[in-house]
Amino acid sequence: MRFLLALVLACAAVPVVAADAPPSIEDFFSRPRIDEAQLSPSGRWLAITAYAGTGRKTLAVVDSDGKQAPVVVATFSNADIQSFDWVNDDRLVFTVTDLQTEAMRQKFGGGLFSIRRDGTEQRQLIYAHPSQMERNQTAGRPPLEWTHEMLYVPPGSGNDVVVGEHFVNSVGELDRIVVKRLDVVSGIATTISIDQPPDSKSWWFDQRGEPRAVASSKDGMETLWWRKPGQSAWSVLATYRAVETPFRPRFIDTEGNLFVTVPQGAAGYEVVKRFDFATGKPVDVPLVSTPGFDFEGGFVLDRGDGKVIGIRVETDAESTVWLTPRMKELQALVDKRMPGHVNRLSCRTCADPDVLLVHSYSDQDPGSFWIYRPKTDDWSSIGASHPAIDPARMATLDLHRIKARDGRDLPVWITVPKGKAPAGGWPAIALVHGGPFVRGVEWYWRPEAQFLASRGYAVIEPEFRGSTGYGRAHAKAGWKHWGDTMQDDVADAVDWAAAKGMVNSGRVCIAGGSYGGYSTLMSLVRYPDKYRCGAAWAAVADPLLMFDDAWTSDLPREWRAYGLTEILGDPVKDAALLKAASPVVRAGEIRSPLLIIHGRDDRRVPIEHATKMRDGLRAAGRPPEWVVYEGEGHGWRKIENRYDFYGRLEVFFAKYLKPAGT
């Protein structure tokens, strides 16, 4: 099966390299051979997205029985498949984007197409944004405008999906989303007849595709609404400040129960609870809790009857809590065959499945896909995502729970290179995640950290206060502390790793993108003697610019007015705090060598941040190394820029961390 699939996709051969040579930059950062895989509702067919010899992401369908040859069902010369889903056993829907064009053309509006699994009857249902691809009129009913997007695919065997039409206000920002049913065969869209609350922007659906919950937001306040089956009227479940959500819908089961995530206890770890409509609040006893972590995961459904058969949870690594004896048994069998891996099982009719899709991966293994037939114990390899990577040569990733200087629990991820550490410990990179209000690391093969480890560096990645995933108290502890305690957490993680003998405290650089770039700049201000060098890309350099109402920024005005003021600081009331937290203002205090890289068309962090930082460093007599990628935004989409970027990092870090002659 894998051989046939390789022929269909015309994949390039894996190059042969010397046994002692580290993997190349291209090995780490090329696009995955196989990106995603999904079983059809019956489990007979497997759809995958993969990069073909043309460099474009392609959609293919594989017969899991092996009776028919794999078929490329959708490919474009000027676009890539962005996402896909099975609607029924015969038809798929997919969206597109262009991963080879400049950032300003990669906008909202990936369109929507439907196609049969044999590649026939392709139909455009929603126009892509004109920047994504040219409009080509299809026969029959014209597609919906690009302001529509797919919201939900109900499980079952019907032809309908749920889409939403975006309406914008006078300044071009999202005002509301109107939900519609769309027949993927006829192309007919019908507005769902409900009395939609005003300012409705986030929707949740039951398994029939009926809208049951919606969040509306305006002027920093959010209201959560609920609708009973068969009724058009909505009732209010809660109204609150958008930055302090008391609970959030996660799932609606076949009985109409609403399950929400709620912060619980002093640490505010998010747990799953059933919402009690009689009392108007979540029940006391949680259904799912993951001590030490917020609940992050989802509910696994049997596609046949819609019942919940398992719950995926994310602690340090992902695992699945199966609710049926047979799936528990099968998970144990697969784990025994592939030890030391996360083995994600997917089934469609799951009481006693004939076929399972297995996605197996680890911190050292980028992952591979398999078809497993339990009743015959038959395994078929679909392929690996990065076949050039040898897991045996990859570094290990571990999560440590340490204490920050003020006693706060501080999760820290450490990637340690293969082999024996040099005298004094490994040279190290403190790699700071972006966001900052996201979880930075999960336990899987991560090319950035693995690349740095392959070049002989330990990689220290702290989940500093402000990071999510570790309790609401930990996240809120970072509010208005960008310039101080958030940087202290990074320094504490470095000091801890040095005290444990993992790293050489005299050979540490700091690096990161977006907020991680800000942290790099601010840490060089706050700790001028700790880091030998810093690399900052797409970096926030002047917090006050985050509030700028310029067209170059894509941050919504409502978020700037009611979100950033809470978590970063009010530009008027907290002007002194923001000035003290500004790397641009304090550029003269930076003494370490600095590499600054930015995309010319970045709208999340406009290039003015970088130019002001560069000019401040030049005025202080410490000009940075300076790189601008034309046509790129908040990250590097062009593959040649990605390779160039990591090549520059490799040279830069070696210059300041490696002994002369190595």
Side-chain angles (χ1 to χ4, degrees):
M1 184 182 297
R2 180 171 57 181
F3 174 71
L4 288 173
L5 185 60
L7 288 179
V8 170
L9 296 175
C11 293
V14 176
V16 177
V17 297
D20 58 347
S24 68
I25 289 174
E26 291 78 8
D27 291 338
F28 282 104
F29 299 105
S30 62
R31 294 182 174 118
R33 182 71 59 85
I34 297 178
D35 191 42
E36 185 182 357
Q38 284 186 36
L39 287 171
S40 71
S42 71
R44 167 69 188 275
W45 309 97
L46 177 70
I48 67 169
T49 46
Y51 283 91
T54 61
R56 292 293 188 178
K57 188 156 58 165
T58 294
L59 179 63
V61 171
V62 177
D63 179 5
S64 68
D65 284 345
K67 296 178 180 178
Q68 298 183 29
V71 177
V72 172
V73 299
T75 186
F76 297 91
S77 62
N78 62 343
D80 300 273
I81 306 299
Q82 184 176 32
S83 62
F84 71 92
D85 211 328
W86 289 94
V87 180
N88 52 53
D89 220 44
D90 187 53
R91 292 185 184 272
L92 302 101
V93 288
F94 62 89
T95 63
V96 299
T97 190
D98 186 351
L99 296 175
Q100 297 184 16
T101 192
E102 64 270 18
M104 291 293 282
R105 289 169 58 86
Q106 295 163 348
K107 299 178 181 178
F108 162 79
L112 187 68
F113 295 78
S114 68
I115 199 165
R116 295 189 64 182
R117 58 174 166 76
D118 61 2
T120 63
E121 297 183 20
Q122 178 174 300
R123 181 188 184 98
Q124 189 165 12
L125 301 169
I126 299 174
Y127 279 122
H129 189 279
S131 65
Q132 302 282 20
M133 60 167 47
E134 295 180 3
R135 290 193 173 195
N136 295 309
Q137 180 64 47
T138 56
R141 183 177 296 273
L144 299 173
E145 284 299 317
W146 65 270
T147 50
H148 293 74
E149 67 168 335
M150 191 174 73
L151 299 178
Y152 184 67
V153 179
S157 57
N159 290 326
D160 285 354
V161 298
V162 181
V163 300
E165 182 175 9
H166 289 228
F167 289 86
V168 298
N169 57 24
S170 59
V171 295
E173 295 180 350
L174 180 63
D175 181 70
R176 67 190 188 281
I177 298 176
V178 173
V179 291
K180 303 177 181 181
R181 291 190 181 279
L182 176 62
D183 187 306
V184 302
V185 177
S186 69
I188 296 174
T190 306
T191 300
I192 297 176
S193 298
I194 53 174
D195 295 328
Q196 178 170 316
D199 310 307
S200 299
K201 297 171 185 173
S202 299
W203 291 91
W204 292 267
F205 304 90
D206 65 19
Q207 293 177 54
R208 295 182 297 276
E210 290 291 329
R212 299 291 298 279
V214 61
S216 61
S217 61
K218 189 173 183 179
D219 297 337
M221 297 299 295
E222 191 166 275
T223 299
L224 186 62
W225 307 76
W226 174 259
R227 184 178 72 91
K228 294 181 179 179
Q231 297 186 5
S232 60
W234 295 82
S235 58
V236 174
L237 297 185
T239 298
Y240 42 86
R241 292 196 309 153
V243 294
E244 293 192 298
T245 308
F247 54 85
R248 199 72 173 167
R250 293 301 298 263
F251 178 70
I252 301 162
D253 69 11
T254 53
E255 285 75 41
N257 292 305
L258 171 65
F259 295 92
V260 298
T261 47
V262 187
Q264 180 169 277
Y269 294 123
E270 291 200 349
V271 300
V272 179
K273 294 185 176 184
R274 181 179 59 82
F275 190 85
D276 186 343
F277 294 100
T279 63
K281 61 182 182 179
V283 299
D284 292 334
V285 180
L287 173 69
V288 183
S289 63
T290 50
F293 301 86
D294 290 329
F295 172 80
E296 295 180 6
F299 293 76
V300 185
L301 304 181
D302 186 305
R303 186 86 184 225
D305 59 15
K307 298 288 188 182
V308 177
I309 59 164
I311 302 172
R312 300 206 197 277
V313 297
E314 186 81 40
T315 52
D316 52 347
E318 181 186 273
S319 60
T320 304
V321 180
W322 293 109
L323 306 180
T324 65
R326 180 55 173 159
M327 290 305 298
K328 290 180 182 178
E329 177 187 13
L330 292 174
Q331 184 74 64
L333 289 171
V334 173
D335 289 345
K336 183 177 180 180
R337 179 186 174 99
M338 299 177 172
H341 283 61
V342 171
N343 299 305
R344 172 184 271 229
L345 308 186
S346 299
C347 56
R348 290 309 197 177
T349 303
C350 307
D352 189 13
D354 293 320
V355 60
L356 290 171
L357 171 65
V358 181
H359 180 204
S360 180
Y361 63 90
S362 74
D363 58 336
Q364 297 175 284
D365 184 349
S368 56
F369 295 88
W370 301 78
I371 289 293
Y372 171 43
R373 295 188 171 280
K375 295 177 182 178
T376 58
D377 195 30
D378 178 63
W379 288 80
S380 298
S381 171
I382 302 302
S385 65
H386 288 78
I389 295 295
D390 178 4
R393 302 182 67 190
M394 294 292 101
T396 56
L397 171 67
D398 289 298
L399 175 63
H400 303 267
R401 308 298 284 251
I402 73 172
K403 293 295 182 182
R405 65 189 65 181
D406 62 356
R408 173 166 295 283
D409 179 59
L410 179 58
V412 180
W413 297 86
I414 306 286
T415 302
V416 180
K418 283 283 189 180
K420 182 180 179 181
W426 295 103
I429 310 294
L431 186 61
V432 187
H433 72 71
F437 301 104
V438 298
R439 175 169 165 166
V441 180
E442 297 172 7
W443 192 83
Y444 56 83
W445 183 84
R446 300 167 54 253
E448 195 165 64
Q450 288 287 351
F451 166 68
L452 293 171
S454 76
R455 270 53 182 175
Y457 306 112
V459 183
I460 305 166
E461 298 178 88
E463 300 280 10
F464 46 83
R465 68 194 70 200
S467 303
T468 60
Y470 301 92
R472 188 165 294 189
H474 188 69
K476 289 189 68 174
W479 288 17
K480 297 187 180 182
H481 286 288
W482 279 37
D484 45 56
T485 52
M486 290 171 74
Q487 309 319 317
D488 295 344
D489 285 349
V490 179
D492 289 350
V494 171
D495 290 345
W496 175 85
K500 290 293 183 180
M502 296 180 182
V503 306
N504 185 332
S505 62
R507 293 186 177 273
V508 181
C509 286
I510 185 168
S514 193
Y515 169 83
Y518 169 86
S519 179
T520 296
L521 300 173
M522 201 62 209
S523 289
L524 295 181
V525 171
R526 193 167 177 84
Y527 293 97
D529 300 320
K530 185 174 291 292
Y531 305 104
R532 282 197 165 196
C533 68
W537 54 94
V540 176
D542 184 352
L544 283 171
L545 281 179
M546 302 292 285
F547 300 94
D548 193 3
D549 199 22
W551 72 271
T552 51
S553 173
D554 67 356
L555 289 175
R557 293 184 179 188
E558 184 171 342
W559 172 244
R560 293 199 300 268
Y562 301 102
L564 277 181
T565 54
E566 292 276 356
I567 67 173
L568 177 55
D570 187 290
V572 177
K573 298 176 182 177
D574 300 311
L577 179 150
L578 293 174
K579 183 178 179 180
S582 173
V584 164
V585 171
R586 304 180 66 176
E589 300 175 51
I590 293 178
R591 301 203 298 267
S592 300
L594 187 59
L595 170 63
I596 295 178
I597 303 181
H598 220 91
R600 177 76 69 187
D601 297 331
D602 193 338
R603 294 190 63 203
R604 179 55 45 88
V605 181
I607 195 170
E608 186 180 358
H609 286 265
T611 56
K612 289 180 70 173
M613 192 71 218
R614 176 201 62 191
D615 294 346
L617 289 166
R618 285 177 176 173
R622 296 184 179 277
E625 294 189 32
W626 172 258
V627 180
V628 173
Y629 289 128
E630 300 295 334
E632 290 284 18
H634 201 58
W636 328 130
R637 301 291 291 274
K638 298 179 183 179
I639 196 70
E640 62 270 21
N641 288 342
R642 194 180 307 173
Y643 295 159
D644 179 80
F645 169 73
Y646 286 105
R648 290 177 185 273
L649 287 188
E650 181 174 11
V651 171
F652 181 76
F653 291 141
K655 182 177 179 181
Y656 297 105
L657 292 179
K658 295 290 184 68
T662 63

